[in-house]
């Protein structure tokens, strides 16, 4: 009953949002489905992209940070371009849920068709055909094996694995892991990233002085990197010690 009331209440707020001015400008990409325009945090509606700490398997059954890839591909594709976002609602985290166009193109459609996000059919079926096209083309995440973003957030050993190829034996143990967990997701991904008291992202290689002191916990904003290039692309700088 309470859930129905809350849904009805959120629907009542839609007309005022629909009449509000569009949010425009260049965007800072925070995740594969969330950006910042000015001071407005925006959640791209109708889709769901992997979180930055989510792992997938590529077409060679190698683990890779597909969440980072989704974020970086979105940032690269939209760099320097103007965004126009049409507000639809406000989510429970205070973000504006919107449908956005970049250079006149539906950016949600591009993300799903490129395989960097899935159609979030619980909310909208607008991008189902684009997801089918991405799956057929083995684009983005569909090249290998992965867990749907909404399932990954509440994952367990019975979570369904999606993908264009049959996942190899032991795939669950890889896909259930996190790029921000206490154990490195791969022997090749041993660079530690953490956030200091000034809010800066700092990376530490295994030879860094404080490497062993960095405790990898999602709640503290830590994550593993597979290379210095990846760490720097994420906006991190090397530790000074």
């Amino acid at each position: 009953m309470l859930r129905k009331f809350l849904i009805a209440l959120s629907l009542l707020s839609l007309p005022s949002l629909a009449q509000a001015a569009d949010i425009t400008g260049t965007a800072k990409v925070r995740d594969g489905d969330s950006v910042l325009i000015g001071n407005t945090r925006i959640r791209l509606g109708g889709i769901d992209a992997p979180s930055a700490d989510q792992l997938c398997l590529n077409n060679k059954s190698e683990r890779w940070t597909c969440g980072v890839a989704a974020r970086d591909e979105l940032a690269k594709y939209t760099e320097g371009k103007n965004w126009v976002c049409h507000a639809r609602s406000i989510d429970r985290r205070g973000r504006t849920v919107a449908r956005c166009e970049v250079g006149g193109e539906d950016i949600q459609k591009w993300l799903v068709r490129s395989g960097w996000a899935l159609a979030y059919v619980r909310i909208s079926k607008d991008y189902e055909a684009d997801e089918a096209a991405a799956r057929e083309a083995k684009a983005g995440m569909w090249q290998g094996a992965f867990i749907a973003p909404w399932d990954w957030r509440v994952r367990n050993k019975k979570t369904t694995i999606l993908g264009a190829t049959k996942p190899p034996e032991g795939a669950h143990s890889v896909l259930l892991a996190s790029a921000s967990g206490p154990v490195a997701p791969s022997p090749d991904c041993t660079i530690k990233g953490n956030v200091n008291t000034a809010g800066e992202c700092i990376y530490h290689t295994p030879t860094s002085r404080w490497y062993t002191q960095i405790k990898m916990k999602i709640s503290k904003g830590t994550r593993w990197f597979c290379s210095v290039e990846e760490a720097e692309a994420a906006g991190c700088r090397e530790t000074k010690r």
Side-chain angles (χ1 to χ4, degrees):
M1 189 69 182
L2 178 59
R3 183 180 179 184
K4 290 182 178 179
F5 173 75
L6 292 174
I7 292 174
L9 188 62
S10 66
L11 289 174
L12 287 174
S13 68
L14 289 179
S16 60
L17 282 170
Q19 294 168 9
D22 291 337
I23 303 161
T24 63
T26 55
K28 294 181 180 179
V29 175
R30 299 304 193 197
D31 225 330
D33 54 21
S34 60
V35 302
L36 180 70
I37 298 179
N39 295 319
T40 304
R41 294 182 299 138
I42 296 173
R43 169 68 163 84
L44 303 179
I47 68 171
D48 202 0
S51 301
D53 57 343
Q54 183 169 343
L55 295 170
C56 297
L57 294 176
N58 63 18
N59 56 9
K60 297 179 181 178
S61 296
E62 300 168 333
R63 67 191 79 197
W64 64 300
T65 48
C66 54
V68 171
R71 181 201 64 196
D72 292 350
E73 289 297 323
L74 176 61
K76 182 170 64 175
Y77 189 73
T78 62
E79 184 178 6
K81 297 180 181 178
N82 189 62
W83 288 60
V84 178
C85 294
H86 313 289
R88 293 289 184 266
S89 61
I90 303 295
D91 71 7
R92 59 187 177 81
R93 293 170 60 183
R95 298 175 299 181
T96 297
V97 179
R99 175 166 294 191
C100 298
E101 299 166 5
V102 180
E105 179 181 15
D106 182 331
I107 200 61
Q108 279 102 309
K109 183 181 183 72
W110 177 84
L111 279 162
V112 176
R113 187 167 282 267
S114 299
W116 300 121
L118 299 186
Y120 201 16
V121 293
R122 301 178 197 177
I123 304 298
S124 169
K125 295 185 178 181
D126 290 350
Y127 303 108
E128 276 190 302
D130 301 295
E131 182 178 306
R135 183 169 59 248
E136 178 68 22
K138 298 181 181 180
M141 293 184 292
W142 292 103
Q143 66 181 270
F146 65 97
I147 293 173
W150 51 83
D151 285 335
W152 191 83
R153 290 190 286 268
V154 292
R155 61 197 183 281
N156 57 56
K157 293 182 179 180
K158 295 182 179 180
T159 299
T160 300
I161 296 177
L162 304 176
T165 59
K166 182 179 180 180
E169 186 177 349
H172 259 112
S173 63
V174 174
L175 297 175
L176 295 175
S178 166
S180 299
V183 179
S186 164
D188 300 320
C189 302
T190 56
I191 296 175
K192 293 181 176 181
N194 74 316
V195 179
N196 65 14
T197 55
E200 294 179 292
C201 179
I202 311 297
Y203 70 84
H204 308 256
T205 64
T207 57
S208 298
R209 180 179 179 182
W210 302 110
Y211 184 83
T212 58
Q213 306 300 317
I214 304 299
K215 304 303 180 184
M216 304 301 283
K217 294 183 179 180
I218 294 176
S219 61
K220 293 187 176 181
T222 60
R223 61 166 275 218
W224 297 93
F225 294 106
C226 301
S227 68
V228 168
E229 291 75 20
E230 183 183 335
E232 292 179 345
C236 302
R237 66 166 175 80
E238 186 176 10
T239 179
K240 295 179 180 178
R241 298 182 181 181

